[in-house]
Amino acid sequence: MTREQEIRFDPVHIRFDGIDAESHKIDLAQFGKAALGISKIMASTAQFVATGNYRQTQRKLDFKVLIGPAEDNCITFEAVIEAIENKDVAVAFLACGGLLAANIITDVYRLVFKLLWNLFTSSKDSEKTQQELEQKLDGVYDKETISKLIDTVHKMADGLLPAAKNATQPINISCETLQFGDTHKNYFVKLDVSDKQAIIDRDFEFTDLEQHRVIISEIDMKNATCMVSLQDDLKRRFKARITDPQIEQANNDYGTATNSKRSVTITAKKKLDKGIVKEFIISDINLGTEISSE
């Protein structure tokens, strides 16, 4: 294949905002993990768009991801996708002369990220993204082929979960958000700590909402976390994450419960790892003395 025949992809703008990134800095160890994850996601997606195949092993990919020029604000850089030298990349499986491949790369990235984060915006939003991609493929391929391609995107998203964990590593440690954008700096994906948590939670099972009598301690209002001890087993303490909106209010019930050191009733799901409780996800609190019979 000549250089003229190679598929050319526009660079992707990657931007870190907040915490260290506000001063144009980022933790190098965290950034290194993020770079590994971003590279795997982008190269795998480029491979799929160019050939119609998903390859799980990075060394078998025909594309590499290079860092392009940085910008003098926040922490930003371009991720440039190029074919690996001496590898024969097939003329675009999805493309007519490579044109379609270049046009749909952003759509595929967008869908992959939404699937990776377990439809972190909403299921309807993810369905809309998928429909937009299907519309671009319509007229080029029949419905059966399009269905197979979309199935491959779903499979690819599942396989890229470890890479997604790496990509979001700096969030809430050295930056607040991570964004991916096109050449016009229209950022089509913006990830924050809740999205990072959504990835982590993919590895666990969750119980239904239940009520528990607990004592709350070590509350962190900023990060909405605390420790809880069950009333019938006060020697053990569990990590807890508070999703109840009132945690953001001054003088909320969680602060009152912590200060009083008295038992309260929480409504929560338990996050399980092979049956072992790793965390309580608290959605409500009742400072009363009894568990509701409802």
Side-chain angles (χ1 to χ4, degrees), residues 239-255:
K239 293 181 179 179
R241 177 157 39 99
I242 304 167
T243 60
D244 186 349
Q246 74 159 295
I247 190 62
E248 299 178 359
Q249 302 172 6
N251 303 315
N252 60 68
D253 288 347
Y254 295 93

Side-chain angles (χ1 to χ4, degrees), residues 173-294:
I173 298 175
S174 199
C175 69
E176 292 178 346
T177 61
L178 167 61
Q179 298 183 75
F180 295 80
D182 58 25
T183 53
H184 304 293
K185 300 179 185 177
N186 296 316
Y187 290 95
F188 53 85
V189 174
K190 182 176 182 179
L191 310 172
D192 59 20
V193 65
S194 63
D195 302 313
K196 178 180 180 179
Q197 189 64 51
I199 288 185
I200 295 172
D201 287 345
R202 286 283 293 272
D203 284 343
F204 297 92
E205 296 179 1
F206 294 84
T207 66
D208 294 332
L209 284 172
E210 302 169 326
Q211 290 187 327
H212 305 274
R213 292 292 292 175
V214 302
I215 292 178
I216 296 177
S217 60
E218 295 187 30
I219 193 164
D220 184 332
M221 296 292 187
K222 181 178 180 181
N223 294 316
T225 60
C226 64
M227 302 293 290
V228 297
S229 300
L230 295 173
Q231 183 174 263
D232 56 357
D233 187 7
L234 296 178
K235 292 183 179 180
R236 297 180 64 194
R237 295 195 306 164
F238 299 91
K239 293 181 179 179
R241 177 157 39 99
I242 304 167
T243 60
D244 186 349
Q246 74 159 295
I247 190 62
E248 299 178 359
Q249 302 172 6
N251 303 315
N252 60 68
D253 288 347
Y254 295 93
T256 301
T258 303
N259 293 332
S260 71
K261 299 182 181 180
R262 297 171 60 181
S263 294
V264 296
T265 301
I266 60 169
T267 302
K269 293 182 178 182
K270 288 183 286 188
K271 184 167 77 173
L272 307 177
D273 181 11
K274 298 177 181 177
I276 298 174
V277 178
K278 290 296 182 180
E279 187 180 36
F280 282 79
I281 315 298
I282 304 172
S283 57
D284 195 16
I285 186 172
N286 185 341
L287 298 181
T289 58
E290 300 294 335
I291 291 180
S292 172
S293 59
E294 294 182 3

Side-chain angles (χ1 to χ4, degrees), residues 137-148:
L137 296 174
D138 189 28
V140 179
Y141 297 100
D142 57 47
K143 291 184 177 180
E144 183 179 355
T145 300
I146 293 173
S147 178
K148 289 180 180 178

Side-chain angles (χ1 to χ4, degrees), residues 101-124:
N103 286 342
I104 70 166
I105 187 73
T106 297
D107 299 88
V108 177
Y109 278 135
R110 186 184 290 111
L111 181 56
V112 166
F113 275 110
K114 289 185 187 299
L115 294 172
L116 274 170
W117 273 267
N118 199 20
L119 313 182
F120 62 85
T121 48
S122 72
S123 58
K124 289 184 178 180

